[in-house]
Amino acid sequence: MKITTLSGGVGGAKLVKGFYDILNENELNVICNTGDDLELFGLYICPDLDIVMYTLAGLVDEEKGWGVKNDTFHCLKALNELYTRENWFNIGDYDLATHIYRTELLAKGYSLTTVTEILCKNLGLEKVNLQPMSDDRVRTMVMVKPNVYIPFQEYFVKRKCQDPVLNVVYEGAEKAKPGVKVLETITNSDIIVICPSNPIASIGPILSVKGIREHLKKAKGVKVAVTPIIQGAPLKGPADKFMAGMGYQVSALGVAEYYKSLVDIFILDERDTHLKNSIEKLGYSVHITDTVMNSLNDKVKLSKFILETSGLKAE
Ligand code: GDP
């Protein structure tokens, strides 16, 4: 069995963890958003790839949702006290090691795909094939005032989502090539799952890379989307502002509109059963369950539910 998940950071990583626990070696692929990557202090940082890696390795700080648990922040503190106040992006000391090593390997000429493979291997994650959506630079840019665009992390972390979202563009997407194995992975999958991630800020960038949306459309595998919006709101993060800003209703129905004609099965949360008919009218087969993943058991349960609704079972 081959499963491919399209993932952002926190919400995506939770579901990926569920699949990781029930699947065998070489069964799980993750195509991850790199639209909110950033460079800081000369280091190349991939927040979504890192959250997925740390989550699968059991290192993630679950309370914060990012970074390494029990990490210290000595380096950032020293930078702040001695040299610069450009410290809005919190990087713990352990986390820093990832960015330093990634940056070194990229400087040696390795692609981000290969670097990600190497990082995963070092973290003992040989069971998963985690890939960036592209080895090329794509940047999710948020329009916060007429014709003023800022990068996603600046919007999210530095400015704490205080600005309105007037528009979102994926800079560089039209020229970027999918990661070397991305299209082949999509084509050869039995199931492709769009994780409960921010549709516009996490999945949109992946779909914007030339060829990915088309391959997904043509792929023979069962395509499933899990709602990140429950009872008209995200569980965490600014997905509501992004959806509203791009003209989508902030609801599971709005999410279904966004993925329309790309996905076969829509996993709706049990708190939103009243939306089932309207989502079915968009052409989906709708399946209802509790999609809130707090414990590992919740993650595994939802993964198994997705496999069953797709007509497959983990061995
Ligand atoms: P980010 O890149 O760190 O913002 O993370 P993602 O884009 O992957 O995930 C953000 C989205 O995940 C938000 O819209 C949340 O509502 C959603 N989310 C987080 N946890 C859960 C969960 O347990 N269940 C569901 N259904 N959605 C979740």
Side-chain angles (χ1 to χ4, degrees):
M1 173 165 28
K2 289 255 182 245
I3 304 222
T4 295
T5 53
L6 307 191
S7 174
V10 179
K14 284 187 186 175
L15 183 60
V16 170
K17 175 77 171 166
F19 281 118
Y20 186 74
D21 261 51
I22 60 173
L23 294 174
N24 299 313
E25 207 155 317
N26 290 323
E27 289 187 329
L28 178 61
N29 302 288
V30 185
I31 297 169
C32 197
N33 172 40
T34 54
D36 50 16
D37 288 5
L38 70 160
E39 277 140 278
L40 215 55
F41 310 123
L43 301 174
Y44 193 83
I45 305 173
C46 305
D48 285 0
L49 279 169
D50 291 342
I51 291 175
V52 173
M53 280 189 326
Y54 294 153
T55 301
L56 296 185
L59 292 173
V60 79
D61 184 328
E62 295 207 15
E63 226 164 85
K64 286 203 202 100
W66 51 267
V68 174
K69 65 182 161 203
N70 303 323
D71 209 351
T72 51
F73 289 82
H74 299 302
C75 183
L76 202 68
K77 189 162 171 264
L79 273 167
N80 185 35
E81 284 176 12
L82 301 175
Y83 305 115
T84 171
R85 294 200 177 271
E86 187 64 5
N87 66 345
W88 53 271
F89 197 78
N90 284 308
I91 308 173
D93 299 320
Y94 253 76
D95 199 10
L96 195 58
T98 303
H99 311 319
I100 291 173
Y101 194 48
R102 172 188 290 124
T103 306
E104 188 192 355
L105 292 174
L106 287 170
K108 280 184 177 160
Y110 291 102
S111 69
L112 186 58
T113 300
T114 305
V115 173
T116 305
E117 252 172 51
I118 295 170
L119 295 178
C120 282
K121 211 176 234 177
N122 280 277
L123 289 172
L125 302 174
E126 308 209 11
K127 225 177 91 175
V128 65
N129 175 19
L130 173 64
Q131 330 172 22
M133 65 192 199
S134 176
D135 288 326
D136 301 325
R137 185 191 167 93
V138 177
R139 288 294 174 270
T140 300
M141 303 293 292
V142 188
M143 187 164 91
V144 292
K145 282 185 204 158
N147 293 320
V148 177
Y149 283 86
I150 59 173
F152 177 82
Q153 294 298 346
E154 243 179 88
Y155 172 87
F156 185 51
V157 183
K158 190 176 192 177
R159 298 191 49 79
K160 301 187 168 55
C161 307
Q162 61 182 290
D163 307 283
V165 176
L166 304 179
N167 190 22
V168 178
V169 295
Y170 309 115
E171 212 177 79
E174 65 293 341
K175 284 205 205 111
K177 288 190 287 300
V180 275
K181 289 186 281 177
V182 164
L183 298 183
E184 171 196 324
T185 300
I186 291 173
T187 303
N188 295 334
S189 291
D190 299 303
I191 309 181
I192 302 147
V193 182
I194 299 185
C195 289
S197 289
N198 184 328
I200 314 280
S202 293
I203 304 299
I206 304 178
L207 298 176
S208 75
V209 176
K210 219 165 140 189
I212 295 189
R213 180 184 283 275
E214 292 72 17
H215 267 70
L216 196 57
K217 251 189 175 161
K218 279 194 286 181
K220 298 247 160 54
V222 185
K223 288 154 243 169
V224 185
V226 182
T227 185
I229 304 289
I230 300 173
Q231 293 177 303
L235 292 183
K236 214 178 166 194
D240 48 350
K241 291 180 96 174
F242 277 74
M243 290 186 66
M246 293 306 280
Y248 290 89
Q249 197 186 96
V250 184
S251 71
L253 180 59
V255 176
E257 285 277 4
Y258 189 72
Y259 296 133
K260 199 171 119 181
S261 58
L262 204 58
V263 169
D264 313 303
I265 294 177
F266 193 87
I267 308 289
L268 180 66
D269 191 85
E270 62 188 16
R271 296 156 189 85
D272 283 330
T273 44
H274 62 285
L275 295 174
K276 184 171 188 268
N277 286 347
S278 329
I279 296 176
E280 276 170 348
K281 279 191 194 136
L282 296 177
Y284 290 94
S285 159
V286 178
H287 295 262
I288 296 175
T289 190
D290 182 358
T291 70
V292 178
M293 297 170 282
N294 290 322
S295 64
L296 178 59
N297 189 38
D298 297 336
K299 293 165 194 163
V300 166
K301 245 170 74 185
L302 184 56
S303 309
K304 285 186 174 162
F305 181 82
I306 293 169
L307 292 186
E308 274 158 31
T309 54
S310 313
L312 291 158
K313 244 187 182 166
E315 277 165 26

